[in-house]
Amino acid sequence: CSRCSIASIQPATVIVVQVQEILRNLVSNTTVMKSLIILFLSMALSLSVYAKPLCQGFNNYDGKVTIVFIDDKAGGQYAVTEVKLIPSWKGQQYKATSVDVSINKGVATVTLTFDHLTQFSNPKVELKINGKKTSFKVCQ
């Protein structure tokens, strides 16, 4: 029926017009506009800076544990410190014996080495990247 389609379009049109008025009022208020710009820039910056390691490899060969991870948001500087392996839910922690970092085109590849361990149950690594504490589950 022709009346049904007109009736369903009118409320949608009213909503669109009301949203346009609200946006116009917000944009005309410079304080609100500056606050929104700062909010969006802060959100974008925090998302782009946050490092999230992605596990690429794990092995327990040659009398040591080796874990390799990458981070595709490395940028030009990538400092890895305070590295600890937690091999099971019991929570015992093992410090890394070596940390090797290389950066190629903004992607960091990090090789972590630990003393030889034999038992693992949902292992994870806790570390600081550029001073920020983070962790990731070890791929098996």
Side-chain angles (χ1 to χ4, degrees), residues 22-136:
I22 291 169
L23 289 174
R24 257 189 248 120
N25 289 338
L26 285 175
V27 170
S28 66
N29 186 338
T30 58
T31 304
V32 171
M33 195 61 189
K34 287 178 184 177
S35 298
L36 287 173
I37 290 171
I38 290 170
L39 174 71
F40 288 124
L41 288 175
S42 299
M43 287 173 43
L45 183 61
S46 68
L47 290 174
S48 65
V49 172
Y50 182 70
K52 188 62 183 165
L54 301 169
C55 185
Q56 296 294 298
F58 164 83
N59 75 56
N60 198 15
Y61 305 131
D62 301 325
K64 62 185 176 184
V65 174
T66 303
I67 299 170
V68 178
F69 74 86
I70 64 165
D71 188 341
D72 58 359
K73 293 182 172 77
Q77 181 179 347
Y78 202 81
V80 178
T81 58
E82 299 182 30
V83 181
K84 294 174 271 185
L85 172 63
I86 304 168
S88 70
W89 59 271
K90 293 178 183 176
Q92 178 137 1
Q93 300 178 357
Y94 299 89
K95 290 185 178 182
T97 56
S98 73
V99 177
D100 180 44
V101 179
S102 65
I103 302 173
N104 185 12
K105 296 180 183 175
V107 177
T109 302
V110 182
T111 303
L112 307 173
T113 307
F114 301 88
D115 289 332
H116 183 67
L117 300 169
T118 56
Q119 294 183 348
F120 298 91
S121 176
N122 298 319
K124 72 177 183 177
V125 172
E126 291 181 349
L127 66 161
K128 285 188 177 181
I129 298 174
N130 295 332
K132 292 188 177 186
K133 190 173 184 177
T134 189
S135 66
F136 65 93

